[in-house]
């Protein structure tokens, strides 16, 4: 283009910009309050068609913009524990993209730290890396309640308890949004299984919704001002959650005052009129009416079909205006239209956060004086198990991450052992295809696995040789560290899904797969010092092997520095402080969602256990479990004393002392539960209402203080359809697990 024409083009650009009453300039400073007149002004300038481009996808992970008004697209990316592979505008991964990222420990590992400040650090890493990748929304945190241990996505979520989920999510959301990137709390609501997720109708009582399934969303809206929320695939009590008159319009937007954007899950919008009237603000991922390679975004429910409905007068345009206002507000408060500076990716600081979350989230559940491993002379340690060498980051579904690196358990152990110990390794078992691991509705998938995945072709037979080799080295070793548990899924899958810890799949049961149980039995026959380390988003059935091992560590999916943290705990460089965010019962059949409620149901799934989820059930029914909610061991001991309460207007102030009575410094998590003496309706025996993680040197004592608001004692009364405080005696219990609360006192309200 010659100089003259450049001049005219420039002149034309200046003219275009000049003639708009308001053209969006990226605001230099971070403006908290959003000028509503600017929003109104823009709205007035838009045609209906332009408004509709904003409320549905313009590519796989962007929603529409309006170039004429300098309004850019919004770009989004998974996932909850790391910025996902680059998709570009396509519906599959962009090959050879620059998308290496920090692979943080997954959600349930973060929750196991019970450390609110780590939630903030975690969110900061995620927000900064999303910004560096030019993403305006990160599609996390996943805050669905863990109702059954079989749900394939538990590894992405936080807890069975709404309060712990909420408290860990506040920091996460603040950390992400400090970077100017919108967090997107998901999946709203009662998406507690993967089986038939696109159509299943979750039948949930109002009380269970308000006491169990909604609180974490309410907290991130009201206490963390989350800028977006993702509607879920499933129905709730007969209506699709993504466009739900009661849940979205009445509760989320009216009662809670949510002023952000409700984004659908990918293809969770099922009806134009409902999406217009019942709260969907942006429709993403609808099954494209033509094909993935030739997307037809005009075919989306909130595109041409919506235009016809508005133009016919069936639905007023004001309905679309509300969506557009929310979208413009998100744009103005975020990096879409405000300059928050540059993000960072793959920095040492980010990797340090990944390490710290793993150090505090890995849980020591059993230790018969064998850990930490310390010995003067050179001992031989046999590391046995496929999971000792497996890498996990790239699988599990949409939460997959292209980790810059991932330290395996074996690498971590080898590194820390150096020449102080002789480390020998044997795989012991390898994943193979087993029909019993697939739900009947996944049989087609199972067959597909057989075809797709040559590595899975290894059968039980090949494992017999692996077992023999493993037993041979175990016989000669001083210690055996067995590393097993779950995997996300098999090679050959688009996401490496399978029927284990994976999106779109639920587990069939908690039985150890691939012959691991038999292997552990064989190892304990030839070596009395077996330490078991399990990876995975849930426990496994443990009654047959747990009594025979000297120690058990649950490592979840501990991220890119998981192997480093695990080794530091095994050898005593780090004192473990993780606590269970879920109950570990032995079998899925022990859980109320299976014993009383339905899982996974059929066309509908009835949450008949109501509010008695997790420890709320086991404690109330006095049922012993192998490891209870809130439990986790340390290498030192703590004692609790001096419980006192006082009133400050309507607040109850609770203080107590905690002492480190052991020889090693470390963290402890004080947990505060309440019990109501004579509730008007059945109420759980205990409910978690506060917690505090604190560091103590040996012989150090600290006084910890808790402030309980009135709300902490309320229950949701279905008849009155509101939260109520009942005059009654309430017991306050403090300890370091739901089944160890030595400090108790009763107050009258
Ligand atoms: C998936 C998931 C959701 C994810 C979205 C985009 O189906 O349910 O968590 O963010 O689609 O990948």
């Amino acid at each position: 283009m010659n100089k003259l024409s450049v001049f005219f083009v420039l002149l034309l650009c200046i003219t275009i910009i000049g003639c708009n009453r308001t053209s969006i300039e990226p605001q230099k400073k971070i403006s908290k309050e959003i000028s509503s007149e600017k929003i109104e002004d823009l709205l007035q300038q838009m045609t209906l068609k332009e408004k509709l481009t904003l409320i549905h996808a313009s590519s796989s992970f962007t929603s529409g913009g309006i170039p004429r008004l300098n309004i850019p697209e919004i770009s989004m990316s998974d996932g909850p524990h790391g910025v996902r592979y680059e998709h570009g505008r396509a519906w599959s991964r962009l090959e050879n993209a620059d998308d290496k990222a920090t692979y943080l420990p997954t959600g349930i590992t973060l929750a196991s730290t019970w450390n609110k400040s780590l939630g903030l650090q975690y969110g900061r890493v995620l927000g900064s890396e999303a910004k560096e990748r030019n993403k305006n929304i990160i599609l996390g945190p996943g805050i669905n309640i863990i109702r059954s241990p079989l749900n394939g996505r538990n590894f992405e979520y936080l807890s069975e308890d709404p309060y712990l989920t909420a408290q860990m999510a506040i920091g996460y959301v603040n950390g992400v949004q400090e970077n100017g990137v919108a967090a997107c709390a998901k999946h709203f609501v009662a998406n507690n299984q993967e089986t038939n997720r696109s159509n299943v109708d979750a039948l949930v009582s109002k009380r269970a919704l308000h006491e169990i399934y909604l609180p974490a969303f309410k907290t991130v809206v009201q206490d963390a001002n989350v800028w977006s929320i993702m509607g879920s695939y499933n129905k709730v009590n007969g209506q699709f959650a993504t466009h739900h008159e009661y849940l979205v319009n009445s509760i989320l937007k009216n009662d809670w005052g949510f002023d952000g954007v409700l984004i659908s899950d990918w293809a969770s919008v099922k009806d134009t009129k409902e999406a217009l009237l019942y709260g969907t603000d942006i429709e993403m991922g609808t099954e494209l009416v033509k094909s993935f390679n030739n997307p037809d975004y005009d075919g989306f429910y909130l595109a041409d079909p919506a235009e016809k409905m508005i133009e016919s007068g069936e639905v007023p345009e004001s309905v679309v205006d509300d969506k557009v206002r929310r979208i413009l507000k998100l744009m103005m408060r975020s990096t879409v239209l405000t300059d928050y500076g540059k993000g960072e990716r793959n920095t040492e600081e980010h990797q340090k956060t990944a390490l710290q979350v793993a150090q505090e989230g890995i849980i020591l559940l059993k230790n018969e004086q064998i850990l930490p491993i310390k010995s003067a002379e050179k001992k031989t340690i046999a590391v046995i198990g496929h999971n000792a060498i497996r890498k996990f980051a790239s699988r599990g579904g949409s939460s997959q991450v292209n980790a810059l690196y991932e330290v395996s358990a074996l690498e971590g152990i080898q590194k820390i052992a150096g020449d102080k110990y002789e480390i020998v390794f044997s795989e012991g078992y390898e994943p193979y295809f087993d029909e019993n691991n697939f739900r009947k509705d996944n049989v087609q998938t199972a067959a597909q696995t057989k075809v797709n995945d040559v590595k899975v072709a290894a059968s039980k037979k090949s494992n017999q040789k692996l077992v023999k080799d493993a037993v041979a080295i175990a016989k000669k070793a001083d210690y055996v560290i067995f590393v097993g548990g779950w995997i996300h899924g098999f090679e050959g899958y688009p996401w490496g899904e399978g029927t284990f810890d994976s999106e779109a799949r639920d587990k069939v049961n908690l039985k150890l797969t691939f012959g691991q149980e038999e292997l552990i039995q064989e190892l304990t026959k030839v070596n009395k010092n077996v330490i078991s380390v399990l990876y995975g988003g849930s426990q496994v059935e443990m009654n047959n092997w747990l009594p025979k091992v000297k120690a058990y560590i649950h490592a979840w999916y501990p991220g890119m520095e998981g192997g480093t943290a695990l080794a530091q705990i095994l050898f005593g460089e780090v004192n473990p402080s993780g606590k269970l965010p879920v109950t570990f019962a032995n079998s899925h059949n022990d859980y109320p969602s299976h014993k009383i409620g339905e899982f996974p149901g059929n066309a509908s799934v009835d949450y008949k256990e109501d509010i008695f989820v997790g420890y709320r059930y086991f404690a109330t029914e006095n049922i012993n479990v192998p490891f209870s909610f809130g439990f986790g061991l340390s290498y030192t001991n703590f004692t609790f004393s001096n419980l006192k309460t006082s009133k400050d207007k309507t607040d109850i102030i609770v203080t107590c002392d905690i002492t480190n009575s052991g020889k090693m410094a470390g963290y402890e998590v004080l947990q505060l539960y309440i019990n109501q003496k004579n509730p008007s309706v059945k109420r759980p025996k205990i409910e978690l209402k506060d917690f505090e993680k604190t560091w103590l040197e040996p012989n150090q004592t600290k006084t910890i203080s808790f402030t309980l608001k009135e709300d902490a004692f309320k229950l949701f009364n279905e008849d009155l359809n509101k939260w109520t405080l009942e005059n009654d005696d309430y017991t306050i219990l403090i300890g370091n697990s739901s089944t160890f609360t030595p400090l108790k006192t009763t107050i009258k309200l």
Side-chain angles (χ1 to χ4, degrees):
M1 197 191 287
N2 63 35
K3 281 198 178 56
L4 187 63
S5 46
V6 168
F7 170 73
F8 279 118
V9 165
L10 276 176
L11 187 66
L12 177 67
C13 291
I14 291 163
T15 316
I16 289 175
I17 290 172
C19 79
N20 292 327
R21 276 179 289 157
T22 306
S23 68
I24 286 288
E25 297 303 321
Q27 290 149 355
K28 285 293 162 245
K29 61 180 180 29
I30 298 174
S31 60
K32 285 293 165 224
E33 75 295 333
I34 303 297
S35 63
S36 51
E37 52 279 346
K38 188 174 281 187
I39 288 178
E40 292 314 310
D41 194 4
L42 277 167
L43 196 56
Q44 299 316 319
Q45 298 179 56
M46 290 178 194
T47 65
L48 174 59
K49 224 176 198 19
E50 287 173 329
K51 292 176 188 175
L52 293 171
T53 54
L54 294 182
I55 69 171
H56 66 266
S58 54
S59 83
S60 55
F61 283 92
T62 59
S63 57
I66 305 173
R68 181 178 71 84
L69 297 175
N70 290 338
I71 296 175
E73 292 179 316
I74 298 176
S75 71
M76 312 172 191
S77 170
D78 292 308
H81 49 262
V83 184
R84 187 182 184 184
Y85 290 118
E86 187 50 60
H87 266 252
R89 305 184 75 81
W91 280 81
S92 57
R93 177 186 176 183
L94 212 55
E95 294 301 335
N96 310 319
D98 169 17
D99 54 12
K100 290 283 184 193
T102 295
Y103 166 46
L104 291 158
T106 66
I108 199 163
T109 323
L110 172 64
S112 300
T113 70
W114 291 60
N115 185 335
K116 298 170 190 172
S117 64
L118 268 186
L120 179 62
Q121 268 179 262
Y122 189 103
R124 282 177 173 153
V125 169
L126 200 52
S128 182
E129 299 225 345
K131 182 162 60 177
E132 198 276 349
R133 286 272 301 281
N134 299 316
K135 308 299 178 184
N136 308 119
I137 302 180
I138 189 79
L139 302 169
I143 57 174
N144 289 107
I145 292 298
I146 294 175
R147 167 178 183 255
S148 161
L150 301 186
N151 175 27
R153 296 183 80 172
N154 285 343
F155 72 97
E156 287 185 66
Y157 300 151
L158 301 178
S159 173
E160 70 188 26
D161 178 82
Y163 182 79
L164 176 60
T165 301
Q167 293 306 307
M168 295 310 293
I170 292 176
Y172 180 122
V173 170
N174 286 335
V176 168
Q177 297 188 161
E178 266 179 16
N179 285 281
V181 172
C184 182
K186 69 187 187 181
H187 306 85
F188 187 79
V189 69
N191 178 190
N192 307 102
Q193 66 187 59
E194 291 302 292
T195 305
N196 187 22
R197 65 175 177 166
S198 295
N199 292 295
V200 72
D201 185 5
L203 307 179
V204 198
S205 77
K206 255 196 185 155
R207 183 171 181 211
L209 279 171
H210 285 280
E211 291 199 16
I212 305 295
Y213 298 101
L214 288 170
F217 286 98
K218 181 177 183 182
T219 298
V220 292
V221 166
Q222 296 192 331
D223 299 350
N225 184 29
V226 73
W227 294 343
S228 70
I229 282 185
M230 185 186 292
S232 63
Y233 285 116
N234 55 287
K235 289 180 183 173
V236 179
N237 301 330
Q239 208 166 51
F240 282 107
T242 296
H243 30 78
H244 199 289
E245 187 169 20
Y246 175 66
L247 292 170
V248 179
N249 285 2
S250 307
I251 302 289
L252 176 66
K253 293 184 173 179
N254 185 52
D255 295 357
W256 296 352
F258 175 62
D259 70 351
V261 174
L262 184 88
I263 301 170
S264 77
D265 198 338
W266 268 236
S268 68
V269 169
K270 302 289 175 48
D271 180 277
T272 294
K273 188 164 185 177
E274 287 203 9
L276 284 170
L277 293 175
Y278 302 151
T280 312
D281 297 312
I282 299 182
E283 173 193 5
M284 295 302 292
T286 293
E287 297 310 324
L288 299 180
V289 282
K290 288 184 186 144
S291 77
F292 275 8
N293 303 323
N294 172 20
D296 165 21
Y297 295 103
D298 298 336
F300 272 43
Y301 289 99
L302 290 182
D304 294 355
E307 188 177 18
K308 290 189 184 61
M309 204 163 272
I310 305 273
E311 279 169 349
S312 70
E314 191 177 348
V315 172
E317 184 163 346
S318 60
V319 162
V320 175
D321 292 348
D322 176 61
K323 302 177 195 297
V324 170
R325 286 191 187 94
R326 292 171 179 276
I327 293 166
L328 289 174
K329 181 174 280 192
L330 183 143
M331 290 176 161
M332 291 176 182
R333 63 188 4 161
S334 74
T335 47
V336 179
L337 289 171
T338 295
D339 178 4
Y340 280 82
K342 281 189 64 54
E344 291 183 310
R345 178 158 45 114
N346 294 325
T347 63
E348 256 182 55
E349 195 191 330
H350 292 179
Q351 290 143 18
K352 272 219 295 277
T353 297
L355 174 61
Q356 192 178 346
V357 175
Q359 289 170 338
E360 294 194 35
I362 288 172
I363 307 177
L364 177 62
L365 290 168
K366 176 178 182 181
N367 184 19
E368 283 173 355
Q369 288 81 39
I370 188 168
L371 291 177
I373 296 173
K374 285 205 185 311
S375 111
E377 72 266 26
K378 186 165 188 159
K379 299 274 186 178
T380 301
I381 299 175
V383 178
I384 293 171
H386 168 82
N387 273 1
I389 54 174
R390 191 176 183 91
K391 308 284 174 146
F392 297 96
S394 63
R395 301 182 179 294
S398 60
S399 62
Q400 62 187 173
V401 179
N402 188 9
L404 180 69
Y405 63 82
E406 186 179 343
V407 179
S408 69
L410 180 63
E411 288 159 349
I413 291 167
Q414 284 169 328
K415 186 155 180 286
I416 211 167
D419 56 7
K420 292 195 295 295
Y421 297 91
E422 175 71 30
I423 305 296
V424 291
F425 170 71
S426 175
E427 192 172 2
Y429 71 93
E430 66 175 7
Y432 56 79
F433 168 71
D434 177 344
E435 198 89 34
N436 302 318
N437 288 339
F438 282 84
R439 287 189 172 283
K440 62 185 182 318
D441 57 2
N442 290 143
V443 170
Q444 188 275 333
T445 313
Q448 193 188 1
T449 302
K450 259 183 184 161
V451 170
N452 284 0
D453 194 333
V454 285
K455 288 196 191 60
V456 170
S459 69
K460 261 195 184 115
K461 249 193 331 299
S462 70
N463 274 357
Q464 264 136 31
K465 164 129 183 26
L466 290 172
V467 169
K468 213 158 61 55
D469 296 350
V471 169
I473 66 161
K475 213 176 281 184
K476 296 193 297 264
D478 299 296
Y479 295 92
V480 169
I481 300 176
F482 170 76
V483 185
W486 296 100
I487 60 174
H488 280 307
F490 295 114
E491 283 69 18
Y493 263 81
W495 300 332
E497 65 192 271
T499 183
F500 308 121
D501 286 317
S502 182
E503 180 173 344
R505 300 283 179 279
D506 291 326
K507 294 169 182 170
V508 177
N509 56 46
L510 295 177
K511 294 191 181 317
L512 263 170
T513 52
F514 317 131
Q516 292 178 71
E517 187 162 304
E518 297 74 14
L519 172 58
I520 296 175
Q521 308 288 12
E522 293 308 311
L523 296 174
T524 53
K525 282 178 192 161
V526 299
N527 192 303
K528 60 183 182 349
N529 289 332
V530 176
I531 296 148
S532 67
V533 175
L534 299 187
Y535 281 64
S538 76
Q539 78 278 34
V540 297
E541 289 188 9
M542 57 198 100
N543 286 350
N544 298 338
W545 57 267
L546 184 63
K548 298 177 180 160
V549 300
K550 284 235 175 103
Y552 167 30
I553 287 176
H554 199 79
W556 305 114
Y557 291 112
M560 67 200 299
E561 285 288 357
T564 309
L566 174 66
Q568 290 173 328
I569 288 170
L570 286 165
F571 291 91
E573 283 186 18
V574 165
N575 189 351
S577 60
K579 304 281 177 188
L580 283 175
V582 291
T583 304
F584 269 12
N586 186 60
S587 158
H588 67 281
N589 291 314
D590 299 332
Y591 286 80
S593 49
H594 293 264
K595 263 172 113 167
I596 303 168
E598 292 178 333
F599 186 96
N602 292 299
S604 66
V605 55
D606 196 342
Y607 288 29
K608 279 185 274 191
E609 77 280 8
D610 202 71
I611 58 171
F612 295 93
V613 175
Y615 73 87
R616 284 171 162 78
Y617 165 76
F618 293 108
T620 305
E621 304 301 323
N622 292 314
I623 295 171
N624 287 329
V625 291
F627 300 107
S628 59
F629 175 83
F631 178 79
L633 293 174
S634 168
Y635 289 146
T636 188
N637 297 305
F638 297 93
T639 53
F640 309 93
S641 58
N642 207 6
L643 175 61
K644 290 185 187 127
T645 61
S646 59
K647 271 198 137 187
D648 173 6
K649 301 192 192 69
T650 54
D651 292 352
I652 304 293
I653 312 297
V654 184
T655 61
C656 69
D657 291 348
I658 172 171
T659 302
N660 178 346
S661 47
K663 297 188 177 52
M664 192 172 173
Y667 280 112
E668 182 54 296
V669 177
L670 279 141
Q671 300 159 38
L672 185 154
Y673 298 85
I674 66 158
N675 161 278
Q676 181 182 350
K677 193 171 178 203
N678 299 303
S680 63
V681 286
K682 202 165 181 256
R683 187 170 183 175
K685 188 170 173 191
I686 54 169
E687 294 167 47
L688 180 72
K689 293 297 176 183
D690 208 339
F691 62 89
E692 182 71 28
K693 183 164 201 173
T694 185
W695 176 267
L696 290 157
E697 295 297 326
N699 304 317
Q700 184 182 6
T701 295
K702 274 185 189 171
T703 300
I704 306 291
S705 161
F706 301 96
T707 301
L708 295 175
K709 302 284 181 198
E710 242 181 21
D711 287 355
F713 298 91
K714 290 181 179 174
L715 59 80
F716 187 83
N717 184 309
E718 278 205 344
D719 302 337
L720 303 174
N721 195 29
K722 67 186 178 100
W723 287 91
T724 54
L725 178 66
E726 299 186 344
N727 297 327
D728 200 344
D729 289 346
Y730 293 83
T731 302
I732 291 167
L733 309 93
I734 292 184
N736 63 0
S737 96
S738 58
T739 47
F740 185 70
T741 49
L743 301 184
K744 290 181 182 63
T745 185
T746 300
I747 59 170
K748 192 174 279 303
L749 288 182

